[in-house]
Amino acid sequence: MDTPNILTPPEVNPNGNRGGFWKQLGMLVLGTTVSLVLTFGSAQIIEKSQRAKDRRLTAMMVMSNIESFAQQLDTAWVQAANADTAVAWLLNIPKDSLDAMEHEDLLPIITKAKSLGTLTYDKTAENIFSNNIETWKNMGNFQFIDMVGTCFSLMHLCEERWNGFQRELDDIFSRIAAHPDQYPGKTNPSKIARDPGMRQKLLMIRNLRKWIRYEAEYLRYCNLKNMAAINITEQELREFMGKRQQEIVIDQPEPLYNEITIPRINPDSLSHY
């Protein structure tokens, strides 16, 4: 009878198996650790990059808002030139001659002399910046924070002072028009033009125009410092402002106020109210 050809099984080394187990476990732990490090590291890099983009966008919005307000001051300065001219003409007329002028001739001049317009300060960018102020503080860029704060304060001041002056002119005009018997002069326009308070205010318009012109230039000076603090060029800011001001074109036509109609209610159709 032939002897079966049976292979001799390899000898088992218990110490070798135990070492292999710990080696595999170590490799598994190492692989998991590396995977976690890569995952969290990538997430942190992406988050850091996104925060940098958000800060840059906020800075762009802030600086474009400052430049937009400076442009608004430029417009106010130009428009107030008409008032300045009317004031020069009006105050050059002797008070005694004002009564000789027709109501229709004098009133438009006074109206032009007191019409400066109003400034509108959009606080959206300031609110966004203020809500993220801790982010800027953590960066340690305190020069940028201080300069932007200076610009915001100056913009508030310009709005309040300019609009407040316009309200004061309107109040004098309305007060005299409401109580003409209390003021000297034959017509309401001559009464307004003769009033010492009105004349004093009108004399201040030229200096107010000079001040508003200066503040526009100072805001731009501060904005240049803002750009230098965060390494943004004037060209980049102009391109950003161009995109913000670009009109959004849609298929839907703009609604018109005159096209909105409300049917009139017939009282006779109501049984009770």
Side-chain angles (χ1 to χ4, degrees):
M1 181 175 178
D2 296 335
T3 302
N5 186 15
I6 299 175
L7 295 177
T8 304
E11 295 182 1
V12 178
N13 184 354
N15 294 329
N17 282 342
R18 182 177 300 174
F21 170 76
W22 288 112
K23 182 178 180 181
Q24 291 177 4
L25 180 60
M27 293 297 294
L28 179 62
V29 171
L30 178 61
T32 303
T33 302
V34 171
S35 177
L36 289 173
V37 169
L38 290 175
T39 300
F40 286 112
S42 300
Q44 288 179 348
I45 292 173
I46 294 173
E47 184 180 358
K48 184 177 180 180
S49 175
Q50 186 60 46
R51 284 201 304 267
K53 291 180 180 179
D54 292 343
R55 285 194 301 269
R56 184 179 177 83
L57 177 60
T58 300
M60 283 290 198
M61 291 183 65
V62 166
M63 292 185 295
S64 67
N65 195 39
I66 294 171
E67 172 58 28
S68 295
F69 191 80
Q71 293 176 6
Q72 193 179 162
L73 297 183
D74 291 340
T75 301
W77 181 79
V78 172
Q79 291 179 345
N82 293 327
D84 201 4
T85 303
V87 168
W89 188 90
L90 183 64
L91 297 184
N92 191 51
I93 301 174
K95 288 185 179 182
D96 296 339
S97 302
L98 291 170
D99 285 336
M101 296 186 64
E102 295 293 333
H103 179 283
E104 294 77 11
D105 296 331
L106 188 55
L107 181 60
I109 299 171
I110 296 175
T111 302
K112 183 181 291 186
K114 77 172 190 65
S115 299
L116 300 178
T118 57
L119 295 175
T120 303
Y121 171 38
D122 182 3
K123 301 174 181 62
T124 303
E126 180 181 354
N127 293 334
I128 294 175
F129 181 80
S130 299
N131 291 336
N132 293 276
I133 193 67
E134 292 301 324
T135 302
W136 294 100
K137 288 181 179 179
N138 292 337
M139 288 181 62
N141 201 335
F142 294 104
Q143 289 180 320
F144 181 70
I145 296 173
D146 293 341
M147 193 59 62
V148 167
T150 298
C151 292
F152 287 153
S153 297
L154 185 56
M155 292 157 73
H156 279 288
L157 176 63
C158 290
E159 181 190 38
E160 292 172 2
R161 185 174 178 184
W162 186 268
N163 294 345
F165 191 85
Q166 179 65 76
R167 285 193 298 270
E168 290 172 0
L169 290 173
D170 292 338
D171 289 344
I172 296 174
F173 188 95
S174 300
R175 172 167 46 83
I176 297 174
H179 305 283
D181 296 339
Q182 300 177 10
Y183 300 90
K186 292 184 178 180
T187 64
N188 279 8
S190 67
K191 293 174 186 291
I192 295 170
R194 291 163 64 105
D195 182 71
M198 176 62 82
R199 297 176 74 88
Q200 183 181 16
K201 286 292 182 185
L202 294 177
L203 280 172
M204 296 171 61
I205 289 179
R206 177 157 297 182
N207 285 336
L208 189 65
R209 286 187 67 221
K210 179 180 179 180
W211 174 74
I212 214 77
R213 179 69 170 175
Y214 167 77
E215 297 302 354
E217 295 304 317
Y218 188 74
L219 279 173
R220 291 192 172 97
Y221 170 77
C222 292
N223 225 12
L224 287 174
K225 288 191 172 184
N226 291 334
M227 294 179 215
I230 54 176
N231 298 319
I232 289 179
T233 65
E234 291 185 71
Q235 180 63 29
E236 289 176 305
L237 182 60
R238 283 194 293 268
E239 291 175 357
F240 179 80
M241 291 186 66
K243 292 178 181 179
R244 287 191 68 184
Q245 296 169 358
Q246 186 175 1
E247 183 180 0
I248 300 176
V249 180
I250 59 176
D251 295 333
Q252 182 71 23
E254 181 181 353
L256 300 177
Y257 178 81
N258 292 334
E259 293 180 354
I260 305 298
T261 58
I262 300 178
R264 195 176 288 274
I265 299 175
N266 183 5
D268 296 335
S269 67
L270 302 176
S271 58
H272 67 277
Y273 179 71

